[in-house]
Amino acid sequence: MPAEAEVEASNAVPPAIIQEMRELGLFGLSIPEEYGGLGLTMEEEVALAFELGYTSAAFRSVIGTNNGIGSQGIIVDGTEAQKEYWLPRLASGEAIGSFALTEPDAGSDAGALKTTAVRDGDRYVLNGTKRYITNAPLADVFTLMARTGGPGPGGITAFLVPSDSPGLSLGAVDGKMGQRGTRTCDVILDDCRVPADAIIGGVEGRGFKTAMKVLNRGRLNISGVCVGAAERLCDEAVGFAKTRIQFGKPIAEHQLVQAMLADSFTEAFAGRCMVVETAKRYDCGERIIKEAAASKLYCSEMVGRVADRAVQVHGGAGYMQASPVEHFYRDVRLFRLYEGTSQIQQIIIGREMTAG
Ligand code: COS
């Protein structure tokens, strides 16, 4: 938390903090112990997401892709050789993983992606552009979805593409509304060649399902981050309300202010309960597609409302960059967009409820 202003000003996480994260094992907290990670359960992992959400999103983002979308494809569907090579490197933070699904013309409709992968002897040749790829400027390896077959989800294959592959280049770093200190950019594939054994799991046509499995888990993790941010915003709002005097007393004693605080606490608490319950079910091996989507839908929308109220409680001070709530107001907007918009979560929940 003391480094939040520095992250905002420099648009980077201080290297000393990244090193400390490495030493704590945070790059591998969700990677199994046999591959050098901490092997946390999902319940333990969301407990950590609550903590990391309590501060600038950039800190969690440093380790977010290695533990989530940048490594989980290998964990859930990778071959033993892929696990043995990549997971210890990702767990130690020696390598940074990233996830490349989105394209200029394939966002919510991920199954329509156009990047192609064509077999050429013992290699695949990849062509296309991936967009808004988190941690791409730092990445050593991408879990990258490309089309090896016909149209739709069934024609998609997941590849492990090292960032130094010939034909791979990066676009300019994106200028974003918030989440300063996190970097996204395009990943451009121009006759990019990878070995045939770069296919995750070694089988063509399974890449869409790998991506979806990765996202189920990722959505729950983001929900935990939203809860942590909401709790921080509640604490900031309460702290300000207790010291700000208007009409002769702290504004915390005015009932209209208390109403805003009460609504925010209630919603953050509801989100926490959803996330913990879903994590417990995940750890028991239950299907949690609907619950993870519901958690993401509720928690990301909830933290938007909580951030708005926190600024309202702070009044004009909350609009100033010096306020601790100002960057959260911008940062949390992303949670309703990435790893599936709120509307995509609604579609997933509706389909799950009515299937069969
Ligand atoms: N978990 C596991 N499997 C899933 C799944 C999930 N959440 N969602 C879909 N699948 C499976 C389906 O069961 C289906 O399998 P079968 O072919 O065996 O029946 C297959 O994947 C194709 O699914 P579907 O037909 O539902 O695909 P659609 O093209 O209709 O798309 C949505 C489904 C909209 C849910 C998907 O495109 C999506 O999640 N879009 C958002 C993408 C996203 O989050 N992007 C963010 C970028 S990553 S930071």
Side-chain angles (χ1 to χ4, degrees), residues 30-293:
S30 69
I31 293 175
E33 282 178 283
E34 58 189 298
Y35 300 108
L38 297 183
L40 299 190
T41 63
M42 200 65 208
E43 196 180 352
E44 290 167 337
E45 203 182 316
V46 296
L48 196 56
F50 296 149
E51 294 300 318
L52 290 167
Y54 200 82
T55 183
S56 290
F59 298 113
R60 178 255 174 189
S61 193
V62 169
I63 57 162
T65 50
N66 273 38
N67 287 297
I69 55 180
S71 69
Q72 289 297 322
I74 307 170
I75 293 171
V76 298
D77 282 336
T79 62
E80 195 47 48
Q82 289 166 342
K83 289 179 188 177
E84 277 173 18
Y85 184 80
W86 283 112
L87 295 180
R89 288 171 170 80
L90 292 166
S92 66
E94 173 195 337
I96 299 295
S98 181
F99 181 79
L101 175 67
T102 298
E103 297 182 359
D105 296 319
S108 291
D109 189 5
L113 64 82
K114 290 181 184 158
T115 294
T116 54
V118 177
R119 181 114 195 196
D120 178 19
D122 61 354
R123 311 219 141 230
Y124 279 86
V125 183
L126 281 69
N127 279 288
T129 299
K130 296 291 177 180
R131 182 140 292 173
Y132 310 143
I133 305 305
T134 302
N135 279 345
L138 308 170
D140 298 286
V141 62
F142 296 94
T143 294
L144 188 144
M145 270 51 70
R147 188 166 299 286
T148 51
I156 295 171
T157 298
F159 290 87
L160 285 169
V161 182
S163 58
D164 59 2
S165 300
L168 186 151
S169 61
L170 301 178
V173 172
D174 299 318
K176 304 191 297 323
M177 176 190 286
Q179 301 223 357
R180 285 177 64 77
T182 71
R183 302 288 168 96
T184 67
C185 71
D186 280 3
V187 177
I188 302 148
L189 305 151
D190 183 11
D191 282 338
C192 171
R193 290 177 179 272
V194 293
D197 65 5
I199 292 183
I200 293 184
V203 184
E204 285 190 8
R206 292 195 186 161
F208 188 79
K209 286 192 188 173
T210 300
M212 291 299 120
K213 284 187 254 179
V214 166
L215 287 173
N216 289 335
R217 209 177 165 288
R219 288 164 181 160
L220 186 55
N221 210 295
I222 289 173
S223 309
V225 174
C226 291
V227 168
E231 292 179 349
R232 169 74 183 281
L233 287 157
C234 285
D235 289 348
E236 292 291 346
V238 168
F240 183 85
K242 280 182 166 171
T243 54
R244 172 73 176 160
I245 311 290
Q246 288 294 279
F247 302 102
K249 59 183 180 184
I251 62 169
E253 292 176 23
H254 293 296
Q255 287 187 331
L256 291 180
V257 172
Q258 287 180 2
M260 286 191 275
L261 299 176
D263 283 349
S264 289
F265 169 79
T266 304
E267 292 192 278
F269 183 53
R272 178 177 268 265
C273 294
M274 286 176 93
V275 172
V276 170
E277 173 68 15
T278 306
K280 283 183 176 165
R281 292 191 196 187
Y282 180 94
D283 287 335
C284 291
E286 285 184 34
R287 180 184 169 92
I288 52 106
I289 294 176
K290 176 162 86 282
E291 289 74 11

